[in-house]
Amino acid sequence: MSLKYSVNETGPRIEQFLQQVIGHAGFELTFKLEPGDQTNPDFENPDLTVKFKGPDVEMLLTNRAELLLALELITQEMLRMHSDDHSRISFDANDYRAIRIEELRVSALAAADKVKRTGTLFRFNAMNSRERRVIHIALRNEHDVRSESAGAGPQRGVVIYPASMASIPDLPPLPGPAHHAPGSDRPRFGAGGGRGGDRDRRPGPGGGGNRRPGGGGGRPFNRGNR
């Protein structure tokens, strides 16, 4: 796929915007625009990456990189990017993105093994579309389970089912996201992602399903606990 956002063409607009935001907020941060990082091409394949450094970089990574992802989103809004293109521009600090992708991948495989052993579905905590996509991709070669996205808005997460189990359309709401003290949430997965947005279904033997990256935890679910 050809580049749509380049350092030379899009970079000056991003640089001007971020300098204003950082200056008004009083953050001690510097940033550098680089061609997209291809470290994890199966999961992320951005055209352009913005990497942050400086004394306040830990503030960007607190609460699962909440501020980093917020800066990324408002920059995308400033550029009037379509949501399908959001994965083409990636913000990063201290290799957060690569660390988070690996964390989600390992969590997805561990959850799939648990589902195979117990025959019970496993439900991840709510997460964004990029993270859900990481989980779906991580499980795409698992034939004994399938993953689906469930919930709406900020409550949307991933459920892993045994391949032969029917989907449960009325799962109870997930608890709200937990917030931690500044600096307590070191690089954990925040917003991973790749082109094409949020793939909500991956067919598996015994039924369709969708895989999604899980954010920081999940739990088995029994029908009797609804």
Side-chain angles (χ1 to χ4, degrees), residues 43-65:
F43 299 103
E44 287 192 314
N45 192 23
D47 294 347
L48 184 156
T49 300
V50 181
K51 295 187 176 180
F52 291 86
K53 292 183 179 180
D56 287 339
V57 76
E58 288 297 325
M59 294 177 62
L60 298 182
L61 301 177
T62 297
N63 292 332
R64 293 198 189 162

Side-chain angles (χ1 to χ4, degrees), residues 1 5 23 36 42 54-55 64 75 82 119 156-157 174 187 191 193 199:
M1 185 178 291
Y5 302 93
D42 287 344
R64 293 198 189 162
T75 301
H82 190 280
R156 195 159 178 79
L174 287 164
R199 299 181 187 175

Side-chain angles (χ1 to χ4, degrees), residues 196-214:
D198 190 61
R199 299 181 187 175
D200 278 325
R201 280 196 169 270
R202 184 194 69 89
N210 33 31
R211 310 187 162 182
R212 297 253 167 180

Side-chain angles (χ1 to χ4, degrees), residues 167-185:
S167 302
I168 300 176
D170 55 345
L171 290 167
L174 287 164
H179 288 275
H180 308 282
S184 65
D185 198 353

Side-chain angles (χ1 to χ4, degrees), residues 14 46 61 65 72 85 89 104-105 107 109 126-127 129 153:
I14 295 176
L61 301 177
E72 182 182 78
D85 286 339
I89 292 179
L104 287 172
R105 188 189 68 81
S107 295
L109 294 176
M127 64 193 74
S129 63

Side-chain angles (χ1 to χ4, degrees), residues 203-224:
N210 33 31
R211 310 187 162 182
R212 297 253 167 180
R219 62 192 68 87
F221 177 81
N222 296 317
R223 292 173 180 268

